[in-house]
Structures are given as structure tokens and as C-alpha cells.
Amino acid sequence: MEKDPHKILAAFFGYGSFRPGQEEVITAILEGRDVLAVMPTGAGKSLCYQIPALMLDGMTVVISPLISLMKDQVNALTESGIKAALLNSSLSASEYELTVSRAAAGEYNILYLAPERLHKAELRHFASSVPLPLIVVDEAHCVSQWGHDFRPSYLEIAGFTGSLDRRPAVAAFTATATVRVKEDIRKGLELKQPFAITTGFDRKNLHFGVEKPKNKDAALLAFLEPRKAKSGIVYCATRKTVDEVWALLCRQGYAASRYHAGLDDRERRENQDDFLYDRKTVMVATNAFGMGIDKSNVSFVLHYNMPKNIESYYQEAGRAGRDGEEADCVLFYSGRDTRINQFLITNNHDNEAGEAVIAHNLELLKSMVFYATGTDCLRSRLLRYFGEEAPSYCGNCSNCNTLFEAADISLEAQKLISCVLRLKQRGRSFGKTMIIDILRGNKSEKLLAAGLDSLSTYGIMADTGPRRIRAVMDYLIQEDYLALEGDEYPVVKEGRFWQEILTGKKPLSLMLAKEEPKRPQTDSRGPDAGGRDSRGPDGRGPDAGERDTGKPAPSRQGPKQQAGAAKSFAPPLLSGTDEALMTKLKELRKNLAREAAVPAYIIFSDASLRDMCEKKPLTLSGFGEVNGVGEIKLAKYGGAFTALIREHLKDGVPGGQ
Ligand code: ADP
Ligand code: MG
């Protein structure tokens, strides 16, 4: 077998490079270590175990909570020429037996298994006839009672792995990052000194938006209008709302499907397939829909109602844009959503943990409401919630695009740097919060006791809000005009380039939140005063433990990012693509998918089709360069697609290419 993961990535999956975290996880697995990998939805967790499965001797067992997910994965693997199968209740008795005997004969690299099957005798049988080097636990948060999808049978996994003669490595994957859930996974699966990795949660191709429409139906139709050809999900809080919104869309002529727990199994399955196979473009659903839906060409996820916490929101929204294409994640907020969620949380009596759980869930809800109602960068709020550092301005969310403007901060920068230098002259240095207090002329005991009110910079920014000062300071630190020193209690020092600022030669401009009308004194800490630390459960970050009052916006891109282009939703991005060719490629893909009886995105993702439009390969070797084209797909489909492209260029537009 091939020894180089990069070669497998190219040959079987057709990708040129690993995404963040993938290579590290693969290496750890190949070293025989246990793994706990936390990566956001759409980050590419599957490859992290599928590649080792092709390199290890024996059969990798993947425990996965959902039948639809398994089917999808096995389809995709088979299409790429990888020997995979599944065992769950969807198989007939004879199919089941056949799969079991083939597995025991070592015919598969990967076997997907429902957790409920673990105690069945067949498994002992495999274990004695094929080596089982690796047990993968996908959606591992299902082991935690604190997660949102607890599955009791996940608790049996540890017993199973422990009972094998030779304990396989155990690799756990999840998108849920809270400390409590991670701890439950370690304990519940009895991971042995796992290689633990949490990759960045940022999904750059996702545009985040919040709207507070008076009439949600009208807003929904306005949103969908320019997206008729796109595939997307509309999440609603209740079955009733799903039915109503679905009926509305059908009346308006949309190819809409629906999904909730009130429909019978058969209808749910059919509706889901209609969506996966692109027979219907919009899925209206409760949160019962989605886990295990790996459809890669979902180009928007619209929440008609606000979910009860950010974990759920990010997981559901994250189902958009898995293929890396631009996608929209929009939340429709209304105060009613908050009240309904509060009611549901406080009246949920079936949880034994009682009061503690209710209080916990209300805290989570609060963070969700801050997201929906706040004026700071939506992306930064999400990322900080998951414990990540994030610039306060992303330029690609509805708040950044409408509420931020370029501001001249030259003078403010000078004041800040002067303050730090004055402190230095006295042999002192302080953290961000104290610097802000000095500049604002705060009269706290600590400040007065240290005699800091005698500094010449004391109170020179009394008129500037603390958030704005913090934003400017963060920017100066980022650009090395100031610097942070120390890990646990970092203090602010002058940076390498401070002189450039003080000489006034360098005008500085920054994207900042537009000034809000002054708040009453009592509420000076901003909308998240008293809320959960927006840095998230880990409380990490340089000023952990100190409430993050910083709202506005150090812009990485600098002033060239224009706030004026204020539109909350970017129109679907298609510029530069040969749309006529794209349409033909999609048609061909659809036909091939029908023949193979798999959803279209299993044949090629939209991203791959777009890459074909760009590269317009006419030869097989050229086709092999397209993103997502591995050796098997090259051999299977290269001929048909290159012929179509050749044909297209022949009748093509004057000027050819
Ligand atoms: P997750 O399980 O983390 O939500 P998936 O494993 O379903 O994500 O992967 C999401 C998408 O990203 C899939 O379409 C997959 O083919 C694609 N993908 C994964 N790794 C890469 C890579 N290195 N380069 C390009 N695309 C990738
Ligand atoms: Mg997955």
C-alpha cells in the first residue's frame, strides 16, 4: 500500500493539499495513537480517517450515528474506488449476511457501523479474522449527556474496544468544542493520552447575516428570489412552522421539500432524498434534519427562527458551503424567538439534572441572543464563543458590511502609545483594561492607589468609549505598534514601530463600528454585560477572565475595505464563470448521477465543476488536475467531461476560451 498520505489524497480524492489539521490527525493515527479531533462542520473530518484506513493493515471500523450518513459516505467512497460497506438496520437479512462474510474475509478497507451493533456476535467474529487497527467514532459528542445529540449506545463503545484481544487505536471526531463535551468524550470513550487537536472554527467562505424582519415570510421570499437555482435549507423551530413555510414556498412555485419528526419514516426518507438528489432545491425543516447530511452544494442555510444556542446554530449553519463555494448563513431574529426558547428550556422536565441544566441552557441561550442582537462582527462573536482569537472585523458579515465605517484613528493611536511610554518611564506596565481606565480617567481604588492619576495621559480619552479604545489598541498590537508581553497576565508594551505613530507621519485608518448613541452610565459595559464571557467556555485569549468589552474593528485588510458597500447580503457569487458551460456540466453530472443512482454531488462537487469551467481541460491529464478528480473518477468520467468541454469550445463564443 501507498505510504504517502499526500499521494492518497491526490489519487483517491483528487485534492492537491490538506486542510488545516488533517495532516496532523492522519500522522497521529498512523503512529497508532488515540485521537480527539474537534473540527467544524465542513472542515473535512472524514478524510482524516479515510486516508489512514487505506494505509493501515486490516479494516477500519467507523461508528456513526446515522443511517443516511453512512449510506452517503459509502457511496462517495465507492465512487472514488475505495472498498467500503455499512452494517445497520437498513439492510435486508441477506445483504447483512453477505456484508458480514465479506468483512470477515478482509474485503473492505472501511466498515461503517451503527453503535447499536457493537454487542452483536458478528463483531467478535471479525475481530478474530481480520485485523482491526482503528476504531473511528464519528460525531463523538453523542457520548455526552451535555451534548445536543446524546446516544446511550455510544457508551458501549469503550467496553467493546477494551474487550478486544488487541485494543485498536480509537479516533474520535466532533464539531462540538465545549470543554465539558470534550471531557466527556475522553472519559466516555476511554481515550488513552489522545492526540488532541481543535482546528480553527473559521469558515471563510460563509457569509453570516442577521435580519430582524417585521414580516418573515416576505423577507424569506425576497431572500430566495435571486437564489432560485441554488440549493439550501430553511430551519424552523416547530413542525407547525415548517408546514406553513413549506406550503408558502410551494404556493410561490419553489421546488421545496420538508422534514420533521411528525412525518412518517417513508415520507421523511423520500423528502430527504428529493433534496439530496436535487429534485427539490429548498428543504424546510426542524433541527431533526441535518446531522449526517453531507450534501456539499448547500449554498444557503436560513434560520427562520433562532436556535437555542450557538453550538446548534453553528452546526446547522455550517451545513452550507462544504464544497468551499461562497454561501450564506442568515438568521431571522425576533424577540418572540427568545421568549419561546426560554419557555421551552424552563419547562423541559424530562432532564434529570434539573435546575443546573436549565440554568446552563439559559446561559447558552443568552449568548445566542447576543449574537442575534449585537452590533459587533458576527464572525468574531462566533469564533470567540468557541474560544478562538478573532479580529473584530471580518468584512464578510452583515454587521461588518452595514455597521462599520473607516475612521481616522491617528490621534487616538498617539494617545495610546504615549500612555504606554509614560508608564514605562515610571517602570510600570499594565494589562489592556488598566490602560483603558487610565486613558478614560477612571477613579478606581487600584488606579488611585498606584498614583496613576498623576500621569500626563490620565483622562486624555475621557470622551472615547472603552470599546473603541480597545479596538484601536488591538489594532496597534496586531500591527506591532504596541506589543503584548507575558502569557497569563499579558501587559501592553511599545511595539517595534511605535515611533512611526508618534512622529505623526503615518495616518492610520481603521474599520470601526459606527458610533452608537450614548448609553446610560449603568449600561456602559455593552450588550454582553453580565452575560457569558464571549471568549467562550475555555476562557482563553490574552485577557481571559476580563470581560471583553471590545466591540469595534481592527481591520486586517486596512482601509481599502470599504464600509460603504453596505449590503447585508452579497448576491450569489458567480462572476467570472462560464455559466453556459457550467449548466452543461451540471446536466452531464445529473445524468451520470442518475445512472450510478447516487446524488449528483457524489459524482463531483460544484467546486469541481467550477474548477472545470476555469481550467477547461481538453485532455485526460488536464482533467486530472481538476480539484476533486482522483484516479478512479478520472478514468470513469474524464472522457465524457473533456468531450463536453471540447464540444462547448467548438460551438463556443467568438474568441473561444
Ligand atoms: P466534516 O465531516 O468535517 O463536516 P466532510 O468530511 O464531510 O466534513 O468534508 C466536507 C467536504 O470537504 C467534502 O466535500 C470533502 O470532500 C471536502 N474536503 C475534505 N478535505 C479536503 C481537502 N483537503 N481539499 C479539498 N476538499 C476537501
Ligand atoms: Mg462528518
Side-chain angles (χ1 to χ4, degrees):
M1 234 321 156
E2 180 55 58
K3 289 265 157 35
D4 180 356
H6 285 97
K7 292 211 175 117
I8 295 190
L9 181 71
F12 285 94
F13 300 95
Y15 297 133
S17 57
F18 284 110
R19 287 192 181 154
Q22 287 181 325
E23 202 170 0
E24 291 90 324
V25 171
I26 290 170
T27 307
I29 292 179
L30 292 175
E31 283 168 357
R33 291 189 63 178
D34 281 4
V35 166
L36 170 51
V38 180
M39 296 160 82
T41 309
K45 291 187 280 295
S46 322
L47 282 194
C48 296
Y49 60 81
Q50 289 166 348
I51 288 182
L54 289 167
M55 303 173 72
L56 294 165
D57 185 28
M59 182 174 76
T60 291
V61 171
V62 183
I63 295 163
S64 169
L66 279 170
I67 292 177
S68 58
L69 173 94
M70 295 185 206
K71 200 175 109 199
D72 217 50
Q73 297 260 1
V74 170
N75 274 341
L77 289 169
T78 311
E79 266 300 311
S80 301
I82 297 166
K83 288 172 283 174
L86 55 80
L87 282 182
N88 62 33
S89 58
S90 75
L91 300 186
S92 69
S94 60
E95 286 170 328
Y96 193 90
E97 236 164 74
L98 186 64
T99 307
V100 168
S101 65
R102 285 190 173 158
E107 287 186 30
Y108 302 122
N109 287 117
I110 304 184
L111 181 73
Y112 285 82
L113 203 66
E116 290 75 20
R117 304 267 141 199
L118 281 175
H119 57 270
K120 298 257 168 16
E122 314 80 84
L123 275 178
R124 312 273 138 203
H125 181 50
F126 298 151
S128 57
S129 51
V130 225
L132 301 181
L134 173 65
I135 304 276
V136 174
V137 185
D138 204 6
E139 314 286 357
H141 58 275
C142 292
V143 79
S144 168
Q145 319 229 21
W146 291 97
H148 35 97
D149 303 301
F150 176 55
R151 283 278 282 255
S153 50
Y154 263 59
L155 293 171
E156 292 172 22
I157 298 174
F160 169 73
T161 47
S163 72
L164 296 174
D165 290 343
R166 197 172 150 265
R167 180 187 179 276
V170 179
F173 293 87
T174 179
T176 305
T178 57
V179 175
R180 196 168 226 158
V181 171
K182 282 197 242 185
E183 218 20 67
D184 280 0
I185 293 175
R186 271 172 199 266
K187 287 206 189 101
L189 297 177
E190 294 175 14
L191 299 181
K192 299 218 166 21
Q193 289 155 7
F195 170 73
I197 183 170
T198 301
T199 66
F201 265 59
D202 194 12
R203 301 268 313 277
K204 292 200 169 40
N205 60 319
L206 300 186
H207 172 91
F208 290 97
V210 174
E211 277 197 14
K212 302 176 183 86
K214 285 221 171 61
N215 180 337
K216 286 189 178 182
D217 286 350
L220 174 64
L221 294 177
F223 175 83
L224 291 178
E225 174 63 30
R227 293 176 171 76
K228 286 221 160 96
K230 304 248 156 189
S231 190
I233 306 173
V234 177
Y235 277 112
C236 305
T238 63
R239 299 174 191 182
K240 183 162 164 282
T241 317
V242 167
D243 290 340
E244 288 164 4
V245 170
W246 173 70
L248 168 76
L249 296 187
C250 292
R251 275 200 306 280
Q252 297 287 327
Y254 283 92
S257 188
R258 64 177 167 156
Y259 191 103
H260 59 61
L263 306 174
D264 66 44
D265 282 356
R266 192 186 47 86
E267 188 177 354
R268 277 212 303 265
R269 204 168 42 240
E270 278 174 13
N271 292 356
Q272 173 173 316
D273 281 351
D274 279 346
F275 180 64
L276 295 184
Y277 286 79
D278 297 319
R279 294 187 287 263
K280 298 280 169 71
T281 55
V282 184
M283 173 58 94
V284 186
T286 60
N287 62 6
F289 177 75
M291 193 176 43
I293 301 303
D294 282 358
K295 183 174 168 66
S296 69
N297 61 339
V298 173
S299 91
F300 62 86
V301 171
L302 185 142
H303 280 79
Y304 191 90
N305 301 108
M306 182 183 71
K308 61 183 189 301
N309 56 47
I310 289 188
E311 279 88 354
S312 312
Y313 179 69
Y314 205 58
Q315 185 142 47
E316 287 158 19
R319 292 183 181 128
R322 278 175 193 255
D323 53 6
E325 298 279 282
E326 303 284 328
D328 287 303
C329 305
V330 178
L331 169 65
F332 280 1
Y333 175 78
S334 74
R336 213 176 110 80
D337 292 337
T338 307
R339 293 190 295 278
I340 291 176
N341 275 311
Q342 274 166 343
F343 177 84
L344 291 175
I345 290 170
T346 41
N347 290 285
N348 175 3
H349 296 301
D350 50 44
N351 202 317
E352 284 172 21
E355 292 299 307
V357 174
I358 291 176
H360 176 70
N361 289 339
L362 286 174
E363 276 304 301
L364 298 186
L365 174 62
K366 218 187 246 174
S367 302
M368 186 72 235
V369 175
F370 292 144
Y371 173 83
T373 57
T375 50
D376 45 356
C377 167
L378 295 175
R379 184 181 310 273
S380 75
R381 192 164 272 274
L382 291 168
L383 295 179
R384 288 175 189 181
Y385 179 86
F386 289 112
E388 249 179 68
E389 284 286 300
S392 319
Y393 176 80
C394 76
N396 189 25
C397 73
S398 59
N399 283 358
C400 282
N401 294 346
T402 57
L403 303 175
F404 285 65
E405 62 190 354
D408 181 351
I409 55 158
S410 312
L411 193 60
E412 285 155 310
Q414 289 179 355
K415 290 177 179 172
L416 257 157
I417 290 175
S418 304
C419 184
V420 171
L421 293 175
R422 291 280 169 272
L423 284 170
K424 187 182 177 182
Q425 282 171 350
R426 290 195 185 181
R428 310 293 305 266
S429 59
F430 290 100
K432 291 181 187 177
T433 304
M434 184 59 116
I435 305 273
I436 294 172
D437 285 348
I438 296 170
L439 287 164
R440 285 179 44 83
N442 188 310
K443 296 192 173 55
S444 75
E445 222 169 278
K446 187 174 161 200
L447 193 156
L448 297 178
L452 298 173
D453 54 336
S454 65
L455 283 168
S456 60
T457 50
Y458 178 76
I460 54 171
M461 295 181 84
D463 290 338
T464 312
R467 293 168 153 232
R468 182 166 170 122
I469 300 179
R470 181 181 294 266
V472 174
M473 184 155 44
D474 283 342
Y475 176 70
L476 295 176
I477 291 168
Q478 178 191 309
E479 299 294 316
D480 214 351
Y481 298 120
L482 289 175
L484 275 184
E485 262 182 40
D487 286 332
E488 204 172 347
Y489 300 106
V491 294
V492 184
K493 299 273 187 137
E494 76 279 10
R496 271 190 299 162
F497 307 121
W498 64 271
Q499 276 147 327
E500 291 178 23
I501 304 291
L502 284 198
T503 55
K505 274 195 295 230
K506 188 155 183 180
L508 282 188
S509 163
L510 185 59
M511 296 301 291
L512 287 175
K514 290 176 190 162
E515 290 287 278
E516 283 172 83
K518 277 218 165 24
R519 291 164 184 279
Q521 276 295 304
T522 49
D523 194 21
S524 63
R525 291 192 301 163
D528 50 11
R532 166 177 160 146
D533 185 345
S534 61
R535 270 169 207 283
D538 284 354
R540 276 189 274 131
D543 38 22
E546 168 193 319
R547 192 158 303 285
D548 178 16
T549 51
K551 173 181 62 165
S555 149
R556 230 175 226 156
Q557 296 87 343
K560 66 179 183 290
Q561 281 274 350
Q562 276 315 315
K567 269 203 76 206
S568 39
F569 304 116
L573 262 190
L574 288 172
S575 58
T577 315
D578 181 339
E579 282 309 315
L581 177 57
M582 189 72 183
T583 310
K584 291 182 195 169
L585 292 173
K586 280 189 176 164
E587 194 57 33
L588 174 59
R589 176 179 68 175
K590 194 163 149 192
N591 294 335
L592 293 168
R594 194 173 307 130
E595 274 166 38
V598 294
Y601 62 88
I602 298 273
I603 306 279
F604 285 123
S605 70
D606 282 7
S608 295
L609 296 193
R610 207 167 291 290
D611 204 31
M612 288 176 210
C613 282
E614 222 150 81
K615 297 191 170 125
K616 297 197 173 59
L618 298 173
T619 60
L620 284 186
S621 69
F623 194 73
E625 298 295 305
V626 170
N627 218 357
V629 178
E631 281 166 14
I632 298 287
K633 290 192 178 179
L634 174 64
K636 251 201 231 170
Y637 304 123
F641 279 89
T642 49
L644 185 140
I645 294 167
R646 209 172 303 123
E647 202 54 28
H648 172 77
L649 291 180
K650 229 193 300 165
D651 353 303
V653 232
Q657 303 277 7

